[in-house]
Amino acid sequence: MFLTASELTTRQLPEVTKLITGSDQKITNEIILEAIDLFKGYLNSYYDTNEVFSKTGDERNLTVLRHLKAVVIYDLHARRSTTYNEVVKIGYEEAMRWLEAVSQGKIKPILPLLQVDTDGDGLPDRDSEFIKFGSNKKYTSEF
């Protein structure tokens, strides 16, 4: 598993996690899986999320790990109350801003790129390219 409940200790005391979940490890694991799925939704257009989240130990991207922990801890706290510790809330908001910036191509983390099959033989031939659709900002004038 990309992230385990015991690794949350770098961002939150284990006693707090146990208090929130009633020492039910299954709850923490489900929240971790939900958060990973959220991250995959933001990253899957340009990055190989299966490869990113199959890593363990020192092979993992530390930035992804850091932001994933922030989202998991925020979701854990959401089980108990609607008033969050300010540090938990700031970590969550930072993680979500990072995910949005990555999905828009403003930040390009060092992650394995999604491979694309260009010739239809079923084998990936090249990395996917970031393509931003849209146009420039529209300005109105009196002319």
Side-chain angles (χ1 to χ4, degrees), residues 31-89:
I31 290 174
I32 289 170
L33 291 174
E34 290 170 0
I36 287 173
D37 195 53
L38 172 75
F39 272 62
K40 285 182 175 182
Y42 278 93
L43 301 174
N44 72 348
S45 294
Y46 307 105
Y47 300 101
D48 186 348
T49 56
N50 291 329
E51 186 176 342
V52 170
F53 292 105
S54 68
K55 304 286 185 189
T56 58
D58 293 338
E59 296 177 341
R60 299 173 294 184
N61 181 289
L62 295 178
T63 304
V64 172
L65 187 62
R66 172 189 168 89
H67 291 307
L68 181 62
K69 287 178 184 179
V71 170
V72 168
I73 289 171
Y74 182 86
D75 287 345
L76 281 170
H77 282 259
R79 295 190 77 246
R80 289 287 182 182
S81 104
T82 57
T83 58
Y84 299 97
N85 175 325
E86 193 63 27
V87 174
V88 170
K89 188 175 179 182

Side-chain angles (χ1 to χ4, degrees), residues 100-115:
E100 289 174 11
V102 169
S103 70
Q104 294 170 356
K106 294 177 181 176
I107 296 176
K108 295 184 181 175
I110 302 170
L111 296 173
L113 293 173
L114 186 64
Q115 298 290 305

